[in-house]
Amino acid sequence: RTYYGEYTEKAGQYDYTTKVNVITEKGVIVKVEFVEGSNHHTDASYWNGASKWLEKEAEVLKSFEGKSVKEVKASTENTYYDNVAGATLTSNRVYKAVVAALNN
């Protein structure tokens, strides 16, 4: 099954809307991908650490793979995903969009 999730957060003067598809098989996440039009991270020119996030973006999405839907939905924080990228706000938006998808 493919689930669509969206999470919007206002940060300063900007609205960031993270859009993802979460693909599952037998209650396990097999893939998470951004949907076209996702505005999930700050413009790279604005944030000094943006290159680190952009390098790790695929790894953050991949970090959901193999996790059960129950495990991700029951989680109350995104510490693991944040540790992968070191981009707290951006990785938190991804995490919340994934949870929103699984709750649909």
Side-chain angles (χ1 to χ4, degrees):
R1 285 186 72 170
T2 300
Y3 299 90
Y4 171 78
E6 187 174 300
Y7 175 76
T8 299
E9 176 179 80
K10 186 160 187 71
Q13 63 190 31
Y14 302 102
D15 288 333
Y16 297 99
T17 301
T18 304
K19 301 175 183 182
V20 296
N21 281 330
V22 180
I23 302 163
T24 66
E25 286 182 12
K26 299 180 183 176
V28 175
I29 297 171
V30 295
K31 186 172 185 175
V32 176
E33 58 192 9
F34 290 117
V35 173
E36 187 174 334
S38 181
N39 174 27
H40 50 278
H41 55 73
T42 306
D43 184 303
S45 65
Y46 176 79
W47 176 39
N48 291 337
S51 62
K52 181 177 180 182
W53 162 258
L54 296 173
E55 291 169 8
K56 298 287 188 173
E57 190 174 76
E59 191 176 337
V60 170
L61 296 178
K62 198 167 187 62
S63 68
F64 289 96
E65 294 177 12
K67 303 225 180 306
S68 74
V69 170
K70 282 184 178 182
E71 176 184 1
V72 174
K73 285 173 68 171
S75 179
T76 58
E77 60 183 46
N78 74 324
T79 305
Y80 172 76
Y81 312 106
D82 183 35
N83 287 339
V84 171
T88 304
L89 296 176
T90 304
S91 61
N92 199 35
R93 287 191 282 270
V94 173
Y95 172 78
K96 288 181 178 183
V98 168
V99 171
L102 297 175
N103 284 326
N104 283 339

